[in-house]
mmCIF file of all heavy atoms in Angstrom:
data_model
loop_
_atom_site.group_PDB
_atom_site.id
_atom_site.type_symbol
_atom_site.label_atom_id
_atom_site.label_comp_id
_atom_site.label_asym_id
_atom_site.label_seq_id
_atom_site.Cartn_x
_atom_site.Cartn_y
_atom_site.Cartn_z
ATOM 1 N N MET A 1 1.789 8.484 44.926
ATOM 2 C CA MET A 1 1.471 8.901 43.583
ATOM 3 C C MET A 1 0.205 8.102 43.185
ATOM 4 O O MET A 1 0.121 6.932 43.427
ATOM 5 C CB MET A 1 2.606 8.637 42.634
ATOM 6 C CG MET A 1 2.362 9.097 41.227
ATOM 7 S SD MET A 1 3.822 9.023 40.245
ATOM 8 C CE MET A 1 3.729 10.627 39.451
ATOM 9 N N ASN A 2 -0.659 8.726 42.493
ATOM 10 C CA ASN A 2 -1.911 8.119 42.057
ATOM 11 C C ASN A 2 -1.602 7.136 40.909
ATOM 12 O O ASN A 2 -0.941 7.472 39.965
ATOM 13 C CB ASN A 2 -2.846 9.265 41.565
ATOM 14 C CG ASN A 2 -4.214 8.734 41.247
ATOM 15 O OD1 ASN A 2 -4.483 7.561 41.274
ATOM 16 N ND2 ASN A 2 -5.135 9.675 40.887
ATOM 17 N N PRO A 3 -2.131 5.920 41.021
ATOM 18 C CA PRO A 3 -1.883 4.928 39.893
ATOM 19 C C PRO A 3 -2.359 5.380 38.588
ATOM 20 O O PRO A 3 -1.758 5.092 37.568
ATOM 21 C CB PRO A 3 -2.648 3.696 40.375
ATOM 22 C CG PRO A 3 -2.910 3.881 41.843
ATOM 23 C CD PRO A 3 -2.908 5.344 42.125
ATOM 24 N N LEU A 4 -3.486 6.150 38.600
ATOM 25 C CA LEU A 4 -4.005 6.631 37.288
ATOM 26 C C LEU A 4 -3.042 7.654 36.672
ATOM 27 O O LEU A 4 -2.866 7.617 35.454
ATOM 28 C CB LEU A 4 -5.385 7.243 37.512
ATOM 29 C CG LEU A 4 -6.128 7.678 36.234
ATOM 30 C CD1 LEU A 4 -6.298 6.535 35.311
ATOM 31 C CD2 LEU A 4 -7.470 8.279 36.599
ATOM 32 N N SER A 5 -2.491 8.494 37.466
ATOM 33 C CA SER A 5 -1.555 9.513 36.910
ATOM 34 C C SER A 5 -0.274 8.824 36.465
ATOM 35 O O SER A 5 0.358 9.257 35.501
ATOM 36 C CB SER A 5 -1.239 10.608 37.961
ATOM 37 O OG SER A 5 -0.568 10.060 39.067
ATOM 38 N N LEU A 6 0.123 7.751 37.120
ATOM 39 C CA LEU A 6 1.285 6.947 36.731
ATOM 40 C C LEU A 6 1.044 6.327 35.351
ATOM 41 O O LEU A 6 1.868 6.362 34.453
ATOM 42 C CB LEU A 6 1.658 5.933 37.749
ATOM 43 C CG LEU A 6 2.886 5.045 37.438
ATOM 44 C CD1 LEU A 6 4.116 5.946 37.340
ATOM 45 C CD2 LEU A 6 3.042 4.010 38.548
ATOM 46 N N ALA A 7 -0.172 5.786 35.197
ATOM 47 C CA ALA A 7 -0.531 5.155 33.917
ATOM 48 C C ALA A 7 -0.603 6.219 32.813
ATOM 49 O O ALA A 7 -0.206 5.965 31.662
ATOM 50 C CB ALA A 7 -1.925 4.425 34.026
ATOM 51 N N ASP A 8 -1.139 7.427 33.155
ATOM 52 C CA ASP A 8 -1.181 8.453 32.154
ATOM 53 C C ASP A 8 0.209 8.903 31.716
ATOM 54 O O ASP A 8 0.447 9.161 30.547
ATOM 55 C CB ASP A 8 -1.955 9.707 32.780
ATOM 56 C CG ASP A 8 -3.440 9.471 32.832
ATOM 57 O OD1 ASP A 8 -3.953 8.563 32.164
ATOM 58 O OD2 ASP A 8 -4.097 10.223 33.597
ATOM 59 N N ALA A 9 1.114 8.981 32.709
ATOM 60 C CA ALA A 9 2.495 9.351 32.341
ATOM 61 C C ALA A 9 3.165 8.324 31.504
ATOM 62 O O ALA A 9 3.881 8.665 30.537
ATOM 63 C CB ALA A 9 3.313 9.544 33.672
ATOM 64 N N GLU A 10 2.917 7.054 31.745
ATOM 65 C CA GLU A 10 3.503 5.983 30.924
ATOM 66 C C GLU A 10 2.876 6.037 29.542
ATOM 67 O O GLU A 10 3.579 5.823 28.549
ATOM 68 C CB GLU A 10 3.222 4.654 31.617
ATOM 69 C CG GLU A 10 4.086 4.389 32.844
ATOM 70 C CD GLU A 10 3.776 3.094 33.515
ATOM 71 O OE1 GLU A 10 2.900 2.352 33.000
ATOM 72 O OE2 GLU A 10 4.428 2.775 34.516
ATOM 73 N N ALA A 11 1.571 6.290 29.417
ATOM 74 C CA ALA A 11 0.935 6.325 28.139
ATOM 75 C C ALA A 11 1.437 7.527 27.327
ATOM 76 O O ALA A 11 1.662 7.399 26.110
ATOM 77 C CB ALA A 11 -0.610 6.427 28.331
ATOM 78 N N GLU A 12 1.628 8.647 28.021
ATOM 79 C CA GLU A 12 2.213 9.827 27.287
ATOM 80 C C GLU A 12 3.580 9.577 26.813
ATOM 81 O O GLU A 12 3.968 9.958 25.707
ATOM 82 C CB GLU A 12 2.129 11.035 28.246
ATOM 83 C CG GLU A 12 2.469 12.345 27.510
ATOM 84 C CD GLU A 12 2.251 13.548 28.389
ATOM 85 O OE1 GLU A 12 1.325 13.543 29.275
ATOM 86 O OE2 GLU A 12 2.992 14.512 28.192
ATOM 87 N N GLN A 13 4.401 8.899 27.641
ATOM 88 C CA GLN A 13 5.765 8.569 27.257
ATOM 89 C C GLN A 13 5.768 7.615 26.069
ATOM 90 O O GLN A 13 6.540 7.783 25.128
ATOM 91 C CB GLN A 13 6.532 7.977 28.398
ATOM 92 C CG GLN A 13 7.962 7.652 28.106
ATOM 93 C CD GLN A 13 8.724 7.024 29.265
ATOM 94 O OE1 GLN A 13 8.099 6.620 30.240
ATOM 95 N NE2 GLN A 13 10.011 6.949 29.154
ATOM 96 N N CYS A 14 4.842 6.671 26.074
ATOM 97 C CA CYS A 14 4.736 5.736 24.996
ATOM 98 C C CYS A 14 4.375 6.435 23.658
ATOM 99 O O CYS A 14 4.835 6.165 22.602
ATOM 100 C CB CYS A 14 3.744 4.608 25.328
ATOM 101 S SG CYS A 14 3.617 3.338 24.084
ATOM 102 N N LEU A 15 3.420 7.370 23.808
ATOM 103 C CA LEU A 15 2.982 8.153 22.632
ATOM 104 C C LEU A 15 4.128 9.013 22.068
ATOM 105 O O LEU A 15 4.322 9.095 20.854
ATOM 106 C CB LEU A 15 1.798 9.072 23.036
ATOM 107 C CG LEU A 15 1.186 9.910 21.945
ATOM 108 C CD1 LEU A 15 0.640 9.000 20.862
ATOM 109 C CD2 LEU A 15 0.109 10.798 22.492
ATOM 110 N N GLU A 16 4.939 9.601 22.932
ATOM 111 C CA GLU A 16 6.064 10.395 22.463
ATOM 112 C C GLU A 16 7.072 9.503 21.778
ATOM 113 O O GLU A 16 7.621 9.918 20.738
ATOM 114 C CB GLU A 16 6.704 11.087 23.667
ATOM 115 C CG GLU A 16 5.902 12.235 24.234
ATOM 116 C CD GLU A 16 6.524 12.848 25.516
ATOM 117 O OE1 GLU A 16 7.625 12.371 25.930
ATOM 118 O OE2 GLU A 16 5.916 13.759 26.062
ATOM 119 N N GLN A 17 7.284 8.295 22.288
ATOM 120 C CA GLN A 17 8.272 7.381 21.669
ATOM 121 C C GLN A 17 7.720 6.980 20.315
ATOM 122 O O GLN A 17 8.471 6.839 19.351
ATOM 123 C CB GLN A 17 8.513 6.178 22.545
ATOM 124 C CG GLN A 17 9.292 6.453 23.758
ATOM 125 C CD GLN A 17 9.470 5.269 24.690
ATOM 126 O OE1 GLN A 17 8.758 4.239 24.572
ATOM 127 N NE2 GLN A 17 10.352 5.363 25.689
ATOM 128 N N ALA A 18 6.412 6.775 20.176
ATOM 129 C CA ALA A 18 5.807 6.366 18.925
ATOM 130 C C ALA A 18 5.950 7.504 17.909
ATOM 131 O O ALA A 18 6.276 7.273 16.727
ATOM 132 C CB ALA A 18 4.348 6.024 19.088
ATOM 133 N N GLU A 19 5.765 8.762 18.352
ATOM 134 C CA GLU A 19 5.943 9.910 17.453
ATOM 135 C C GLU A 19 7.386 10.045 17.000
ATOM 136 O O GLU A 19 7.639 10.346 15.836
ATOM 137 C CB GLU A 19 5.458 11.158 18.142
ATOM 138 C CG GLU A 19 3.977 11.256 18.339
ATOM 139 C CD GLU A 19 3.556 12.459 19.183
ATOM 140 O OE1 GLU A 19 4.432 13.167 19.716
ATOM 141 O OE2 GLU A 19 2.342 12.659 19.331
ATOM 142 N N GLN A 20 8.337 9.784 17.905
ATOM 143 C CA GLN A 20 9.731 9.884 17.516
ATOM 144 C C GLN A 20 10.083 8.788 16.523
ATOM 145 O O GLN A 20 10.820 8.963 15.576
ATOM 146 C CB GLN A 20 10.638 9.767 18.747
ATOM 147 C CG GLN A 20 10.584 10.998 19.686
ATOM 148 C CD GLN A 20 11.347 10.790 20.995
ATOM 149 O OE1 GLN A 20 11.761 9.676 21.287
ATOM 150 N NE2 GLN A 20 11.473 11.800 21.711
ATOM 151 N N ALA A 21 9.534 7.582 16.709
ATOM 152 C CA ALA A 21 9.759 6.499 15.821
ATOM 153 C C ALA A 21 9.219 6.803 14.432
ATOM 154 O O ALA A 21 9.809 6.499 13.389
ATOM 155 C CB ALA A 21 9.220 5.162 16.331
ATOM 156 N N GLU A 22 8.035 7.417 14.401
ATOM 157 C CA GLU A 22 7.409 7.794 13.148
ATOM 158 C C GLU A 22 8.229 8.861 12.397
ATOM 159 O O GLU A 22 8.415 8.780 11.212
ATOM 160 C CB GLU A 22 5.989 8.317 13.392
ATOM 161 C CG GLU A 22 5.219 8.574 12.130
ATOM 162 C CD GLU A 22 3.804 9.049 12.408
ATOM 163 O OE1 GLU A 22 3.250 8.662 13.523
ATOM 164 O OE2 GLU A 22 3.268 9.815 11.603
ATOM 165 N N GLN A 23 8.794 9.820 13.153
ATOM 166 C CA GLN A 23 9.600 10.835 12.507
ATOM 167 C C GLN A 23 10.885 10.229 11.992
ATOM 168 O O GLN A 23 11.339 10.542 10.858
ATOM 169 C CB GLN A 23 9.996 11.915 13.501
ATOM 170 C CG GLN A 23 8.816 12.824 13.877
ATOM 171 C CD GLN A 23 9.242 13.849 14.915
ATOM 172 O OE1 GLN A 23 10.257 13.735 15.606
ATOM 173 N NE2 GLN A 23 8.404 14.832 15.137
ATOM 174 N N ALA A 24 11.481 9.258 12.676
ATOM 175 C CA ALA A 24 12.709 8.643 12.225
ATOM 176 C C ALA A 24 12.405 7.761 10.970
ATOM 177 O O ALA A 24 13.176 7.720 10.053
ATOM 178 C CB ALA A 24 13.254 7.721 13.312
ATOM 179 N N ASP A 25 11.212 7.189 10.918
ATOM 180 C CA ASP A 25 10.810 6.355 9.753
ATOM 181 C C ASP A 25 10.666 7.243 8.523
ATOM 182 O O ASP A 25 11.095 6.907 7.427
ATOM 183 C CB ASP A 25 9.521 5.639 10.065
ATOM 184 C CG ASP A 25 9.147 4.662 8.938
ATOM 185 O OD1 ASP A 25 10.015 3.931 8.503
ATOM 186 O OD2 ASP A 25 7.959 4.648 8.563
ATOM 187 N N ARG A 26 10.036 8.447 8.716
ATOM 188 C CA ARG A 26 9.890 9.373 7.609
ATOM 189 C C ARG A 26 11.247 9.820 7.086
ATOM 190 O O ARG A 26 11.493 9.938 5.889
ATOM 191 C CB ARG A 26 9.036 10.557 8.008
ATOM 192 C CG ARG A 26 7.566 10.270 7.992
ATOM 193 C CD ARG A 26 6.745 11.542 8.060
ATOM 194 N NE ARG A 26 7.059 12.362 9.211
ATOM 195 C CZ ARG A 26 6.319 12.432 10.318
ATOM 196 N NH1 ARG A 26 5.275 11.712 10.442
ATOM 197 N NH2 ARG A 26 6.704 13.274 11.292
ATOM 198 N N LEU A 27 12.178 10.121 8.002
ATOM 199 C CA LEU A 27 13.490 10.538 7.683
ATOM 200 C C LEU A 27 14.234 9.478 6.876
ATOM 201 O O LEU A 27 14.888 9.718 5.853
ATOM 202 C CB LEU A 27 14.304 10.925 8.916
ATOM 203 C CG LEU A 27 15.683 11.456 8.684
ATOM 204 C CD1 LEU A 27 15.652 12.777 7.930
ATOM 205 C CD2 LEU A 27 16.387 11.677 10.013
ATOM 206 N N ASP A 28 14.164 8.213 7.351
ATOM 207 C CA ASP A 28 14.744 7.071 6.658
ATOM 208 C C ASP A 28 14.199 6.902 5.275
ATOM 209 O O ASP A 28 14.930 6.640 4.293
ATOM 210 C CB ASP A 28 14.585 5.763 7.420
ATOM 211 C CG ASP A 28 15.431 5.712 8.688
ATOM 212 O OD1 ASP A 28 16.365 6.507 8.817
ATOM 213 O OD2 ASP A 28 15.102 4.895 9.599
ATOM 214 N N ARG A 29 12.876 7.060 5.139
ATOM 215 C CA ARG A 29 12.240 6.901 3.822
ATOM 216 C C ARG A 29 12.663 8.000 2.867
ATOM 217 O O ARG A 29 12.958 7.731 1.735
ATOM 218 C CB ARG A 29 10.697 6.940 3.988
ATOM 219 C CG ARG A 29 9.966 6.514 2.751
ATOM 220 C CD ARG A 29 8.430 6.472 3.015
ATOM 221 N NE ARG A 29 8.087 5.605 4.107
ATOM 222 C CZ ARG A 29 7.291 5.954 5.102
ATOM 223 N NH1 ARG A 29 6.821 7.148 5.120
ATOM 224 N NH2 ARG A 29 7.031 5.137 6.057
ATOM 225 N N ARG A 30 12.767 9.224 3.407
ATOM 226 C CA ARG A 30 13.234 10.331 2.552
ATOM 227 C C ARG A 30 14.648 10.146 2.074
ATOM 228 O O ARG A 30 14.953 10.354 0.947
ATOM 229 C CB ARG A 30 13.081 11.646 3.319
ATOM 230 C CG ARG A 30 13.318 12.887 2.438
ATOM 231 C CD ARG A 30 13.418 14.101 3.236
ATOM 232 N NE ARG A 30 14.638 14.122 3.969
ATOM 233 C CZ ARG A 30 14.949 14.938 4.985
ATOM 234 N NH1 ARG A 30 14.061 15.753 5.461
ATOM 235 N NH2 ARG A 30 16.145 14.861 5.594
ATOM 236 N N ASN A 31 15.480 9.700 3.033
ATOM 237 C CA ASN A 31 16.883 9.468 2.670
ATOM 238 C C ASN A 31 17.021 8.339 1.622
ATOM 239 O O ASN A 31 17.823 8.416 0.733
ATOM 240 C CB ASN A 31 17.702 9.089 3.923
ATOM 241 C CG ASN A 31 17.959 10.328 4.778
ATOM 242 O OD1 ASN A 31 17.753 11.413 4.392
ATOM 243 N ND2 ASN A 31 18.340 10.066 6.046
ATOM 244 N N ALA A 32 16.200 7.269 1.754
ATOM 245 C CA ALA A 32 16.204 6.196 0.800
ATOM 246 C C ALA A 32 15.788 6.655 -0.579
ATOM 247 O O ALA A 32 16.399 6.264 -1.603
ATOM 248 C CB ALA A 32 15.323 5.074 1.268
ATOM 249 N N ILE A 33 14.828 7.553 -0.643
ATOM 250 C CA ILE A 33 14.363 8.072 -1.924
ATOM 251 C C ILE A 33 15.480 8.933 -2.562
ATOM 252 O O ILE A 33 15.763 8.843 -3.783
ATOM 253 C CB ILE A 33 13.078 8.905 -1.762
ATOM 254 C CG1 ILE A 33 11.937 7.970 -1.439
ATOM 255 C CG2 ILE A 33 12.750 9.702 -3.000
ATOM 256 C CD1 ILE A 33 10.646 8.656 -1.032
ATOM 257 N N ILE A 34 16.152 9.771 -1.756
ATOM 258 C CA ILE A 34 17.197 10.599 -2.248
ATOM 259 C C ILE A 34 18.347 9.721 -2.811
ATOM 260 O O ILE A 34 18.865 9.991 -3.895
ATOM 261 C CB ILE A 34 17.758 11.543 -1.152
ATOM 262 C CG1 ILE A 34 16.663 12.602 -0.863
ATOM 263 C CG2 ILE A 34 19.044 12.213 -1.546
ATOM 264 C CD1 ILE A 34 16.949 13.456 0.372
ATOM 265 N N VAL A 35 18.717 8.709 -2.073
ATOM 266 C CA VAL A 35 19.813 7.793 -2.542
ATOM 267 C C VAL A 35 19.421 7.131 -3.819
ATOM 268 O O VAL A 35 20.266 6.957 -4.734
ATOM 269 C CB VAL A 35 20.162 6.811 -1.395
ATOM 270 C CG1 VAL A 35 21.063 5.663 -1.927
ATOM 271 C CG2 VAL A 35 20.861 7.515 -0.256
ATOM 272 N N ALA A 36 18.166 6.693 -3.912
ATOM 273 C CA ALA A 36 17.700 6.000 -5.147
ATOM 274 C C ALA A 36 17.770 6.930 -6.313
ATOM 275 O O ALA A 36 18.214 6.489 -7.452
ATOM 276 C CB ALA A 36 16.320 5.410 -4.958
ATOM 277 N N ILE A 37 17.321 8.172 -6.143
ATOM 278 C CA ILE A 37 17.326 9.118 -7.272
ATOM 279 C C ILE A 37 18.750 9.392 -7.699
ATOM 280 O O ILE A 37 19.061 9.461 -8.918
ATOM 281 C CB ILE A 37 16.556 10.427 -6.876
ATOM 282 C CG1 ILE A 37 15.044 10.086 -6.721
ATOM 283 C CG2 ILE A 37 16.785 11.514 -7.881
ATOM 284 C CD1 ILE A 37 14.249 11.220 -6.166
ATOM 285 N N LEU A 38 19.604 9.668 -6.724
ATOM 286 C CA LEU A 38 21.008 9.941 -7.072
ATOM 287 C C LEU A 38 21.680 8.747 -7.775
ATOM 288 O O LEU A 38 22.504 8.942 -8.697
ATOM 289 C CB LEU A 38 21.784 10.340 -5.828
ATOM 290 C CG LEU A 38 21.414 11.720 -5.216
ATOM 291 C CD1 LEU A 38 22.231 11.931 -3.960
ATOM 292 C CD2 LEU A 38 21.666 12.845 -6.193
ATOM 293 N N GLY A 39 21.359 7.542 -7.322
ATOM 294 C CA GLY A 39 21.901 6.371 -7.948
ATOM 295 C C GLY A 39 21.392 6.227 -9.406
ATOM 296 O O GLY A 39 22.185 5.895 -10.318
ATOM 297 N N PHE A 40 20.133 6.482 -9.577
ATOM 298 C CA PHE A 40 19.578 6.465 -10.967
ATOM 299 C C PHE A 40 20.269 7.459 -11.880
ATOM 300 O O PHE A 40 20.609 7.181 -13.006
ATOM 301 C CB PHE A 40 18.058 6.650 -10.928
ATOM 302 C CG PHE A 40 17.408 6.665 -12.234
ATOM 303 C CD1 PHE A 40 17.201 5.475 -12.914
ATOM 304 C CD2 PHE A 40 16.985 7.846 -12.867
ATOM 305 C CE1 PHE A 40 16.623 5.424 -14.152
ATOM 306 C CE2 PHE A 40 16.388 7.821 -14.111
ATOM 307 C CZ PHE A 40 16.197 6.629 -14.743
ATOM 308 N N ILE A 41 20.431 8.699 -11.384
ATOM 309 C CA ILE A 41 21.107 9.745 -12.145
ATOM 310 C C ILE A 41 22.511 9.307 -12.467
ATOM 311 O O ILE A 41 22.984 9.508 -13.565
ATOM 312 C CB ILE A 41 21.022 11.088 -11.377
ATOM 313 C CG1 ILE A 41 19.607 11.611 -11.331
ATOM 314 C CG2 ILE A 41 21.954 12.077 -12.021
ATOM 315 C CD1 ILE A 41 19.443 12.805 -10.447
ATOM 316 N N GLY A 42 23.205 8.694 -11.499
ATOM 317 C CA GLY A 42 24.586 8.290 -11.743
ATOM 318 C C GLY A 42 24.669 7.222 -12.804
ATOM 319 O O GLY A 42 25.588 7.237 -13.670
ATOM 320 N N VAL A 43 23.725 6.260 -12.807
ATOM 321 C CA VAL A 43 23.733 5.222 -13.802
ATOM 322 C C VAL A 43 23.416 5.796 -15.213
ATOM 323 O O VAL A 43 24.087 5.469 -16.193
ATOM 324 C CB VAL A 43 22.690 4.091 -13.454
ATOM 325 C CG1 VAL A 43 22.449 3.163 -14.623
ATOM 326 C CG2 VAL A 43 23.187 3.354 -12.212
ATOM 327 N N VAL A 44 22.443 6.696 -15.256
ATOM 328 C CA VAL A 44 22.116 7.301 -16.554
ATOM 329 C C VAL A 44 23.295 8.120 -17.077
ATOM 330 O O VAL A 44 23.645 8.073 -18.256
ATOM 331 C CB VAL A 44 20.774 8.125 -16.440
ATOM 332 C CG1 VAL A 44 20.579 9.016 -17.657
ATOM 333 C CG2 VAL A 44 19.629 7.242 -16.156
ATOM 334 N N PHE A 45 23.894 8.893 -16.235
ATOM 335 C CA PHE A 45 25.022 9.753 -16.614
ATOM 336 C C PHE A 45 26.198 8.885 -17.095
ATOM 337 O O PHE A 45 26.797 9.195 -18.149
ATOM 338 C CB PHE A 45 25.408 10.641 -15.430
ATOM 339 C CG PHE A 45 26.443 11.656 -15.786
ATOM 340 C CD1 PHE A 45 26.154 12.714 -16.644
ATOM 341 C CD2 PHE A 45 27.717 11.579 -15.273
ATOM 342 C CE1 PHE A 45 27.083 13.679 -17.019
ATOM 343 C CE2 PHE A 45 28.696 12.552 -15.633
ATOM 344 C CZ PHE A 45 28.362 13.594 -16.470
ATOM 345 N N SER A 46 26.459 7.821 -16.310
ATOM 346 C CA SER A 46 27.602 6.949 -16.737
ATOM 347 C C SER A 46 27.303 6.298 -18.046
ATOM 348 O O SER A 46 28.225 6.154 -18.912
ATOM 349 C CB SER A 46 27.815 5.837 -15.652
ATOM 350 O OG SER A 46 28.160 6.411 -14.455
ATOM 351 N N GLY A 47 26.044 5.831 -18.212
ATOM 352 C CA GLY A 47 25.657 5.223 -19.510
ATOM 353 C C GLY A 47 25.787 6.191 -20.668
ATOM 354 O O GLY A 47 26.277 5.840 -21.780
ATOM 355 N N ALA A 48 25.386 7.452 -20.466
ATOM 356 C CA ALA A 48 25.501 8.466 -21.515
ATOM 357 C C ALA A 48 26.933 8.690 -21.850
ATOM 358 O O ALA A 48 27.284 8.819 -23.061
ATOM 359 C CB ALA A 48 24.784 9.737 -21.054
ATOM 360 N N LEU A 49 27.768 8.790 -20.854
ATOM 361 C CA LEU A 49 29.192 9.017 -21.137
ATOM 362 C C LEU A 49 29.792 7.859 -21.893
ATOM 363 O O LEU A 49 30.626 8.023 -22.763
ATOM 364 C CB LEU A 49 29.982 9.291 -19.800
ATOM 365 C CG LEU A 49 29.777 10.576 -19.157
ATOM 366 C CD1 LEU A 49 30.518 10.625 -17.826
ATOM 367 C CD2 LEU A 49 30.158 11.752 -20.030
ATOM 368 N N LEU A 50 29.389 6.668 -21.537
ATOM 369 C CA LEU A 50 29.882 5.464 -22.218
ATOM 370 C C LEU A 50 29.451 5.441 -23.683
ATOM 371 O O LEU A 50 30.240 5.200 -24.583
ATOM 372 C CB LEU A 50 29.372 4.216 -21.500
ATOM 373 C CG LEU A 50 29.890 2.846 -22.033
ATOM 374 C CD1 LEU A 50 31.417 2.753 -21.854
ATOM 375 C CD2 LEU A 50 29.221 1.740 -21.297
ATOM 376 N N ILE A 51 28.188 5.754 -23.933
ATOM 377 C CA ILE A 51 27.682 5.787 -25.293
ATOM 378 C C ILE A 51 28.336 6.863 -26.083
ATOM 379 O O ILE A 51 28.766 6.680 -27.255
ATOM 380 C CB ILE A 51 26.171 5.989 -25.298
ATOM 381 C CG1 ILE A 51 25.478 4.715 -24.754
ATOM 382 C CG2 ILE A 51 25.635 6.296 -26.663
ATOM 383 C CD1 ILE A 51 24.000 4.836 -24.422
ATOM 384 N N LEU A 52 28.462 8.090 -25.536
ATOM 385 C CA LEU A 52 29.117 9.168 -26.241
ATOM 386 C C LEU A 52 30.564 8.885 -26.436
ATOM 387 O O LEU A 52 31.146 9.295 -27.540
ATOM 388 C CB LEU A 52 28.940 10.463 -25.515
ATOM 389 C CG LEU A 52 27.471 11.026 -25.402
ATOM 390 C CD1 LEU A 52 27.451 12.242 -24.453
ATOM 391 C CD2 LEU A 52 26.982 11.386 -26.778
ATOM 392 N N GLY A 53 31.206 8.272 -25.545
ATOM 393 C CA GLY A 53 32.610 7.917 -25.701
ATOM 394 C C GLY A 53 32.845 6.892 -26.785
ATOM 395 O O GLY A 53 33.802 7.011 -27.511
ATOM 396 N N GLN A 54 31.961 5.957 -26.929
ATOM 397 C CA GLN A 54 32.112 4.955 -28.006
ATOM 398 C C GLN A 54 31.734 5.497 -29.344
ATOM 399 O O GLN A 54 32.277 5.107 -30.376
ATOM 400 C CB GLN A 54 31.219 3.720 -27.720
ATOM 401 C CG GLN A 54 31.737 2.895 -26.562
ATOM 402 C CD GLN A 54 30.817 1.725 -26.246
ATOM 403 O OE1 GLN A 54 29.712 1.603 -26.805
ATOM 404 N NE2 GLN A 54 31.261 0.832 -25.384
ATOM 405 N N GLY A 55 30.871 6.565 -29.390
ATOM 406 C CA GLY A 55 30.462 7.126 -30.658
ATOM 407 C C GLY A 55 31.585 7.925 -31.277
ATOM 408 O O GLY A 55 31.614 8.100 -32.480
ATOM 409 N N SER A 56 32.547 8.309 -30.467
ATOM 410 C CA SER A 56 33.641 9.176 -31.032
ATOM 411 C C SER A 56 34.784 8.300 -31.581
ATOM 412 O O SER A 56 35.744 8.865 -32.114
ATOM 413 C CB SER A 56 34.180 10.145 -29.925
ATOM 414 O OG SER A 56 34.776 9.368 -28.887
ATOM 415 N N LEU A 57 34.674 7.028 -31.443
ATOM 416 C CA LEU A 57 35.780 6.137 -31.926
ATOM 417 C C LEU A 57 35.768 5.954 -33.384
ATOM 418 O O LEU A 57 35.020 5.941 -34.179
ATOM 419 C CB LEU A 57 35.723 4.754 -31.253
ATOM 420 C CG LEU A 57 36.114 4.719 -29.770
ATOM 421 C CD1 LEU A 57 35.889 3.317 -29.184
ATOM 422 C CD2 LEU A 57 37.534 5.197 -29.571
#
């Protein structure tokens, strides 16, 4: 096997791994944003229920 073609194959494999890592990073970032938004909504909703519940006393 030609050493140059072996190096090309290794470089291509490394590039594919980098692309997969980048996709996983974007997915993790998107999931973190979704969790943060849902958490914020939950806190606001809980606070609103608490305020409305105390207002009826």
Side-chain angles (χ1 to χ4, degrees):
M1 183 172 225
N2 187 356
L4 186 57
S5 65
L6 181 61
D8 287 342
E10 289 177 358
E12 189 172 328
Q13 182 181 12
C14 183
L15 182 61
E16 288 175 2
Q17 288 175 348
E19 289 173 354
Q20 289 174 352
E22 186 177 331
Q23 287 177 347
D25 187 45
R26 281 196 302 261
L27 182 65
D28 288 344
R29 191 176 304 130
R30 188 188 74 196
N31 287 345
I33 290 170
I34 290 170
V35 168
I37 290 171
L38 291 176
F40 179 74
I41 291 171
V43 167
V44 170
F45 187 69
S46 298
L49 288 177
L50 183 64
I51 291 169
L52 292 174
Q54 288 179 352
S56 66
L57 289 177

